[in-house]
Amino acid sequence: MATFSAVVRTKKELNTVYIRISHRSHPDYIPTSMIVHRSGLRKGKIADHTILANCAILIKRYVERLNSVEIRNWTVGEIKKFLLSESEGISFTGFARGYIERMKREGRKKPAANYACALHSLHGHTRRENLFFHDLTARMLREWIESLSGTARAKNMYPVIVRKIFEEGCMEYNDYDRDIIKIRNQPFRTVRIPESDVPDKRSLPVETLRRIMAAEALSPRERLALDVAQIVLRLAGINTVDLYGMSREAFSGGKLHYCRTKTGGKRRDRAYMEITVMDELLPLFARYAGRERLFVFGERYADADVFARMVNTGLKSVCKRIGVQEITVYWLRHTWATVAQNECGASTEQVGFCLNHTSAHRVTEGYIKKDFSPVDILNRKVINYIFG
């Protein structure tokens, strides 16, 4: 059983008061906010009756908390950590920010930005800069989600993110094997998270797409946008983030071999893809060749988001000038998929395979060595339909 006593560790004029923990012949110390004057010490021990009374109250709280758990196999350091976290509360905000910083260090900048937005939204609703885990109640979460009801996607994405952070916090602080439960509330058990609204289809009429792709570039940014659009379309709607980070080794034997950035870390197959590079693209590959990466995009722009913004700005400039609906590069991926199914007779499953989406047959796919030639066949059909 742990024992406690009020002590000082210095003999100065003013001395911080500590609670000394002794457990299994090992000591540790918890600092308090109390300070005792030299006159309140006798032979190095606290003699101030007010200080001793306040320490007795604090020690009583510590003993009551320890009586609720089994500590025989704990170290004295584990006891100290338990008492500090229980007495001060565990900061959900602090844990969330640390979790977001780890995502950034892992190179997951886009999802980290979404997590930061969700945390900012929760703080804005509660009007508090620091939230503890015990502050997240089912009632508070329902009211927050209700405040997001006018959004199309945030009403689903933000609560899902906060739930994920909460679950990670429970895994970090709770030791279920040893019945050490520091985060006891489970507010999401009775909270229903709404679905996102179905987004508008971002597919262009083929005639509009042809007009955009045939437009003359009047600035370097428009030239970049139209060239990248050609690359995206002729590589089955590849994402710009994948072009940005593509290594030189990815292009070999006339094919691109790469793992999709967005989902590569979540899938057992790392979202691996192979696709033949059409001869029509080789001049563009040469024009935008990088020194260390396959494309200069990864060397010219600070990150993949900046690169995408430059392309989108150029595309919107072209669209506005020729009098058609303004689009972003992601519309090209949607248009490729729509043409593949509606005009080239591909099934939804075939389109999903070419777009490197997660399959509904994940277990079965584990038995099969993938053949990527259907991607090349369907891609050629789509490009022939669009450009003739």
XYZ file of all heavy atoms in Angstrom, residues 283-347:
523
model
N 5.841 13.847 -74.493
C 6.351 15.234 -74.555
C 6.079 16.020 -73.268
O 6.915 16.828 -72.849
C 5.599 15.834 -75.752
C 5.246 14.660 -76.603
C 4.956 13.553 -75.635
N 4.922 15.781 -72.647
C 4.616 16.474 -71.389
C 5.488 15.952 -70.249
O 5.909 16.724 -69.381
C 3.141 16.326 -71.042
C 2.149 17.023 -71.975
C 0.713 16.786 -71.520
C 2.440 18.514 -72.037
N 5.772 14.657 -70.258
C 6.677 14.103 -69.252
C 8.054 14.756 -69.374
O 8.703 15.050 -68.372
C 6.791 12.581 -69.410
C 5.755 11.797 -68.667
C 4.411 12.153 -68.729
C 6.103 10.698 -67.902
C 3.437 11.426 -68.050
C 5.152 9.967 -67.204
C 3.822 10.338 -67.284
N 8.484 14.977 -70.613
C 9.786 15.611 -70.837
C 9.753 17.088 -70.439
O 10.703 17.604 -69.833
C 10.187 15.471 -72.301
N 8.648 17.772 -70.747
C 8.541 19.199 -70.438
C 8.596 19.462 -68.941
O 9.170 20.467 -68.496
C 7.246 19.759 -71.017
C 7.006 21.244 -70.714
C 5.682 21.712 -71.272
N 5.653 21.637 -72.730
C 4.576 21.860 -73.483
N 3.420 22.173 -72.897
N 4.622 21.759 -74.791
N 7.979 18.578 -68.157
C 7.894 18.795 -66.711
C 8.778 17.834 -65.922
O 8.516 17.568 -64.745
C 6.444 18.676 -66.259
C 5.559 19.765 -66.824
C 4.694 19.510 -67.897
C 5.607 21.057 -66.317
C 3.897 20.510 -68.432
C 4.819 22.071 -66.842
C 3.967 21.791 -67.899
O 3.192 22.791 -68.428
N 9.829 17.338 -66.561
C 10.720 16.402 -65.875
C 11.443 17.094 -64.721
O 11.927 18.225 -64.855
C 11.735 15.832 -66.856
N 11.482 16.408 -63.586
C 12.193 16.944 -62.432
C 13.603 16.404 -62.344
O 13.973 15.488 -63.090
N 14.387 16.950 -61.441
C 15.754 16.469 -61.246
C 15.802 15.259 -60.325
O 16.480 14.281 -60.605
C 16.621 17.590 -60.676
C 16.846 18.742 -61.655
C 17.793 19.774 -61.052
N 18.065 20.850 -61.991
C 18.860 21.880 -61.737
N 19.460 21.971 -60.543
N 19.065 22.817 -62.640
N 15.091 15.381 -59.201
C 15.086 14.286 -58.228
C 13.779 13.518 -58.238
O 13.740 12.361 -57.823
C 15.352 14.836 -56.826
C 16.720 15.507 -56.700
C 16.988 16.015 -55.299
O 16.098 15.848 -54.432
O 18.070 16.576 -55.069
N 12.711 14.144 -58.678
C 11.420 13.467 -58.792
C 11.055 13.334 -60.267
O 11.692 13.937 -61.138
C 10.336 14.242 -58.050
C 10.613 14.426 -56.565
C 9.420 15.008 -55.840
N 9.729 15.358 -54.459
C 8.842 15.789 -53.584
N 7.565 15.939 -53.942
N 9.197 16.093 -52.348
N 10.027 12.551 -60.521
C 9.636 12.348 -61.913
C 9.187 13.660 -62.541
O 9.531 13.963 -63.688
C 8.507 11.308 -61.988
C 8.011 10.969 -63.403
C 9.147 10.400 -64.256
C 6.851 9.965 -63.334
N 8.428 14.446 -61.783
C 7.948 15.735 -62.278
C 8.536 16.872 -61.448
O 8.803 16.714 -60.256
C 6.413 15.793 -62.223
C 5.735 14.757 -63.076
C 5.050 13.702 -62.485
C 5.771 14.830 -64.457
C 4.418 12.741 -63.260
C 5.143 13.877 -65.244
C 4.464 12.824 -64.642
N 8.665 18.001 -62.079
C 9.212 19.178 -61.410
C 8.230 19.770 -60.399
O 8.606 20.590 -59.563
C 9.600 20.245 -62.462
C 8.358 20.924 -63.044
C 10.559 21.273 -61.871
N 6.981 19.329 -60.448
C 5.959 19.871 -59.534
C 6.411 19.763 -58.083
O 6.232 20.681 -57.286
C 4.623 19.145 -59.706
C 4.196 18.965 -61.136
C 3.672 17.750 -61.579
C 4.300 20.013 -62.039
C 3.277 17.575 -62.885
C 3.898 19.846 -63.366
C 3.388 18.620 -63.790
N 6.969 18.609 -57.719
C 7.385 18.381 -56.348
C 8.588 19.191 -55.932
O 8.914 19.258 -54.748
N 9.281 19.795 -56.893
C 10.453 20.618 -56.606
C 10.152 22.104 -56.728
O 10.853 22.936 -56.165
C 11.590 20.229 -57.558
C 11.992 18.760 -57.434
C 12.785 18.257 -58.639
O 13.123 19.097 -59.501
O 13.071 17.049 -58.707
N 9.094 22.428 -57.457
C 8.771 23.836 -57.730
C 7.801 24.408 -56.706
O 7.868 25.595 -56.383
C 8.172 23.951 -59.134
C 7.799 25.364 -59.550
C 7.218 25.377 -60.961
N 8.193 24.949 -61.955
C 7.887 24.737 -63.238
N 6.633 24.877 -63.654
N 8.828 24.357 -64.081
N 6.892 23.574 -56.170
C 5.848 24.066 -55.275
C 6.064 23.535 -53.857
O 6.561 22.427 -53.664
C 4.466 23.666 -55.800
C 4.207 24.209 -57.189
C 4.331 23.385 -58.306
C 3.871 25.542 -57.382
C 4.123 23.877 -59.584
C 3.654 26.044 -58.654
C 3.785 25.208 -59.759
O 3.594 25.711 -61.021
N 5.648 24.336 -52.872
C 5.923 24.024 -51.460
C 5.315 22.700 -51.033
O 5.925 21.939 -50.288
C 5.408 25.152 -50.566
N 4.091 22.419 -51.468
C 3.455 21.149 -51.149
C 2.394 20.844 -52.194
O 2.159 21.640 -53.116
C 2.845 21.151 -49.736
C 1.860 22.292 -49.508
O 1.040 22.558 -50.413
O 1.901 22.904 -48.424
N 1.754 19.686 -52.051
C 0.788 19.234 -53.050
C -0.436 20.136 -53.113
O -1.042 20.305 -54.182
C 0.363 17.792 -52.751
N -0.808 20.743 -51.991
C -1.964 21.650 -51.981
C -1.687 22.906 -52.800
O -2.554 23.390 -53.526
C -2.332 22.023 -50.546
C -2.940 20.864 -49.777
O -3.457 19.942 -50.430
O -2.892 20.872 -48.544
N -0.479 23.447 -52.666
C -0.115 24.639 -53.445
C -0.124 24.303 -54.931
O -0.626 25.080 -55.756
C 1.268 25.164 -53.015
C 1.722 26.307 -53.932
C 1.234 25.642 -51.567
N 0.424 23.152 -55.281
C 0.425 22.710 -56.680
C -0.996 22.607 -57.216
O -1.307 23.103 -58.310
C 1.142 21.361 -56.779
C 1.008 20.667 -58.104
C 1.297 21.324 -59.293
C 0.591 19.341 -58.160
C 1.170 20.679 -60.522
C 0.458 18.683 -59.374
C 0.747 19.353 -60.554
N -1.895 21.968 -56.456
C -3.285 21.814 -56.900
C -3.962 23.168 -57.070
O -4.729 23.374 -58.017
C -4.054 20.948 -55.907
N -3.674 24.110 -56.154
C -4.280 25.446 -56.263
C -3.824 26.160 -57.525
O -4.617 26.841 -58.188
C -3.939 26.288 -55.030
C -4.763 25.951 -53.812
C -4.753 27.093 -52.810
N -3.414 27.377 -52.320
C -2.844 26.782 -51.268
N -3.521 25.844 -50.614
N -1.642 27.105 -50.873
N -2.554 26.011 -57.872
C -2.046 26.650 -59.098
C -2.755 26.091 -60.336
O -3.142 26.829 -61.244
C -0.537 26.422 -59.221
C 0.302 27.117 -58.164
S 0.101 28.923 -58.140
C -1.003 29.122 -56.735
N -2.918 24.768 -60.366
C -3.603 24.137 -61.499
C -5.061 24.585 -61.556
O -5.577 24.941 -62.622
C -3.511 22.600 -61.394
C -4.334 21.938 -62.501
C -2.056 22.148 -61.477
N -5.731 24.586 -60.409
C -7.150 24.971 -60.378
C -7.344 26.428 -60.774
O -8.300 26.771 -61.471
C -7.726 24.720 -58.980
C -7.861 23.240 -58.670
O -7.957 22.415 -59.577
N -7.872 22.908 -57.404
N -6.444 27.290 -60.339
C -6.535 28.702 -60.716
C -6.404 28.869 -62.227
O -7.146 29.632 -62.854
C -5.449 29.518 -60.004
O -5.611 29.389 -58.586
C -5.534 30.995 -60.372
N -5.471 28.127 -62.817
C -5.306 28.185 -64.267
C -6.504 27.652 -65.015
O -6.932 28.227 -66.031
N -7.083 26.563 -64.520
C -8.270 25.996 -65.177
C -9.447 26.963 -65.119
O -10.168 27.152 -66.108
C -8.654 24.672 -64.508
C -7.889 23.421 -64.925
C -8.346 22.216 -64.110
C -8.066 23.133 -66.415
N -9.654 27.578 -63.969
C -10.769 28.526 -63.836
C -10.577 29.736 -64.738
O -11.544 30.281 -65.289
C -10.907 28.954 -62.370
C -11.403 27.828 -61.469
C -11.462 28.251 -60.008
C -11.952 27.095 -59.138
N -12.004 27.465 -57.699
N -9.329 30.138 -64.910
C -9.036 31.256 -65.809
C -9.409 30.907 -67.247
O -10.036 31.701 -67.958
C -7.550 31.620 -65.714
O -7.219 32.615 -66.661
N -9.059 29.705 -67.667
C -9.402 29.254 -69.021
C -10.913 29.175 -69.186
O -11.475 29.658 -70.179
C -8.749 27.888 -69.317
C -9.275 27.319 -70.627
C -7.231 28.008 -69.361
N -11.577 28.572 -68.218
C -13.032 28.384 -68.305
C -13.755 29.728 -68.383
O -14.696 29.908 -69.176
C -13.530 27.587 -67.104
S -12.959 25.876 -67.052
N -13.335 30.657 -67.551
C -13.981 31.975 -67.545
C -13.784 32.674 -68.878
O -14.707 33.312 -69.409
C -13.399 32.814 -66.405
C -14.082 34.163 -66.221
C -13.519 34.896 -65.009
C -14.230 36.227 -64.804
N -13.690 36.942 -63.603
N -12.607 32.532 -69.448
C -12.294 33.231 -70.698
C -13.072 32.672 -71.883
O -13.489 33.425 -72.769
C -10.789 33.129 -70.957
C -10.319 33.839 -72.213
C -8.823 34.090 -72.158
N -8.061 32.900 -71.836
C -7.774 31.933 -72.716
N -8.218 32.011 -73.956
N -7.062 30.879 -72.353
N -13.302 31.358 -71.896
C -14.012 30.769 -73.040
C -15.511 30.623 -72.773
O -16.254 30.111 -73.614
C -13.414 29.403 -73.432
C -13.625 28.361 -72.323
C -11.934 29.537 -73.769
C -13.148 26.958 -72.700
N -15.956 31.046 -71.577
C -17.382 31.091 -71.297
C -18.030 29.771 -70.960
O -19.168 29.515 -71.362
N -17.320 28.912 -70.200
C -17.918 27.643 -69.759
C -17.847 27.570 -68.243
O -17.209 28.401 -67.587
C -17.196 26.425 -70.377
C -17.284 26.455 -71.895
C -15.734 26.355 -69.917
N -18.514 26.563 -67.662
C -18.544 26.395 -66.224
C -17.124 26.256 -65.661
O -16.311 25.496 -66.194
C -19.357 25.155 -65.861
C -19.430 24.882 -64.372
C -20.272 23.645 -64.064
O -20.736 22.974 -64.969
N -20.455 23.356 -62.791
N -16.842 26.985 -64.603
C -15.523 26.891 -63.987
C -15.383 25.562 -63.253
O -16.295 25.133 -62.540
C -15.302 28.059 -63.025
C -15.233 29.403 -63.720
C -14.932 30.535 -62.758
O -14.556 30.260 -61.594
O -15.068 31.708 -63.159
N -14.227 24.921 -63.424
C -14.010 23.600 -62.826
C -12.673 23.582 -62.090
O -11.845 24.475 -62.224
C -14.002 22.497 -63.905
C -12.784 22.668 -64.835
C -15.308 22.474 -64.677
C -12.522 21.481 -65.730
N -12.500 22.533 -61.299
C -11.200 22.219 -60.714
C -10.703 20.935 -61.358
O -11.452 20.243 -62.067
C -11.306 22.017 -59.196
O -12.117 20.857 -58.924
C -11.926 23.243 -58.529
N -9.454 20.597 -61.092
C -8.873 19.414 -61.727
C -9.610 18.143 -61.305
O -9.624 17.147 -62.035
C -7.363 19.332 -61.395
C -7.131 18.982 -59.931
C -6.660 18.335 -62.293
N -10.263 18.163 -60.128
C -10.958 16.953 -59.664
C -12.165 16.626 -60.536
O -12.604 15.473 -60.582
C -11.376 17.114 -58.200
C -11.493 15.795 -57.475
C -10.380 14.979 -57.309
C -12.704 15.351 -56.964
C -10.468 13.764 -56.653
C -12.801 14.140 -56.290
C -11.677 13.346 -56.148
O -11.769 12.143 -55.504
N -12.707 17.629 -61.230
C -13.807 17.362 -62.158
C -13.367 16.391 -63.256
O -14.192 15.629 -63.787
C -14.292 18.661 -62.793
C -15.152 19.511 -61.926
C -14.801 20.134 -60.767
C -16.532 19.855 -62.149
N -15.863 20.837 -60.249
C -16.934 20.686 -61.078
C -17.445 19.559 -63.157
C -18.221 21.208 -60.982
C -18.725 20.082 -63.061
C -19.108 20.892 -61.982
N -12.102 16.398 -63.605
C -11.607 15.538 -64.682
C -11.692 14.068 -64.272
O -12.002 13.207 -65.100
C -10.171 15.908 -65.034
C -9.944 17.376 -65.420
C -8.462 17.634 -65.666
C -10.773 17.745 -66.643
N -11.420 13.792 -63.013
C -11.519 12.419 -62.509
C -12.968 11.939 -62.555
O -13.252 10.813 -62.967
C -10.965 12.381 -61.082
C -10.902 11.004 -60.441
C -10.130 11.112 -59.128
N -10.190 9.890 -58.342
C -9.376 8.864 -58.463
N -8.427 8.877 -59.385
N -9.490 7.802 -57.686
N -13.895 12.809 -62.153
C -15.320 12.466 -62.209
C -15.773 12.271 -63.659
O -16.558 11.359 -63.966
C -16.148 13.571 -61.550
C -16.095 13.560 -60.057
N -17.199 13.341 -59.271
C -15.065 13.738 -59.190
C -16.856 13.390 -57.988
N -15.566 13.638 -57.924
N -15.302 13.136 -64.539
C -15.703 13.040 -65.938
C -15.163 11.768 -66.567
O -15.874 11.086 -67.330
C -15.210 14.275 -66.718
O -15.731 15.456 -66.092
C -15.674 14.230 -68.161
N -13.919 11.422 -66.272
C -13.343 10.175 -66.774
C -14.213 8.988 -66.347
O -14.539 8.118 -67.163
C -11.917 9.993 -66.243
C -11.167 8.850 -66.866
C -10.260 8.914 -67.881
C -11.275 7.449 -66.518
N -9.798 7.655 -68.194
C -10.411 6.733 -67.373
C -12.019 6.744 -65.589
C -10.269 5.348 -67.307
C -11.888 5.356 -65.537
C -11.018 4.675 -66.373
N -14.607 8.959 -65.082
C -15.414 7.842 -64.574
C -16.778 7.795 -65.248
O -17.284 6.714 -65.588
C -15.584 7.988 -63.055
N -17.397 8.960 -65.464
C -18.727 9.011 -66.082
C -18.678 8.534 -67.525
O -19.536 7.757 -67.967
C -19.278 10.449 -66.016
O -19.348 10.852 -64.638
C -20.666 10.525 -66.625
N -17.666 8.984 -68.267
C -17.524 8.545 -69.668
C -17.244 7.046 -69.721
O -17.796 6.325 -70.569
C -16.394 9.331 -70.361
C -16.084 8.739 -71.738
C -16.773 10.798 -70.493
N -16.425 6.548 -68.807
C -16.080 5.117 -68.795
C -17.325 4.256 -68.653
O -17.473 3.237 -69.344
C -15.099 4.826 -67.665
N -18.240 4.660 -67.765
C -19.438 3.838 -67.547
C -20.537 4.127 -68.565
O -21.111 3.203 -69.144
C -19.967 4.060 -66.126
C -21.229 3.251 -65.822
C -21.479 3.101 -64.343
O -20.577 2.817 -63.562
N -22.733 3.289 -63.942
N -20.834 5.409 -68.773
C -21.997 5.749 -69.606
C -21.739 5.636 -71.101
O -22.662 5.361 -71.876
C -22.468 7.169 -69.285
C -22.992 7.300 -67.865
O -23.185 6.297 -67.176
N -23.195 8.524 -67.412
N -20.512 5.867 -71.527
C -20.219 5.875 -72.961
C -19.399 4.685 -73.420
O -19.436 4.333 -74.609
C -19.478 7.174 -73.343
C -20.146 8.450 -72.855
C -21.549 8.637 -73.403
O -21.884 8.030 -74.444
O -22.339 9.390 -72.790
N -18.651 4.067 -72.508
C -17.770 2.967 -72.896
C -18.226 1.621 -72.338
O -17.536 0.611 -72.503
C -16.335 3.250 -72.454
S -15.640 4.751 -73.165
N -19.367 1.598 -71.636
C -19.959 0.340 -71.201
C -19.287 -0.338 -70.026
O -19.545 -1.523 -69.772
N -18.442 0.356 -69.277
C -17.769 -0.259 -68.134
C -18.733 -0.372 -66.953
O -19.629 0.459 -66.778
C -16.547 0.560 -67.732
N -18.541 -1.387 -66.143
C -19.347 -1.542 -64.935
C -18.811 -0.620 -63.847
O -17.682 -0.124 -63.922
C -19.289 -2.988 -64.436
O -17.979 -3.308 -63.989
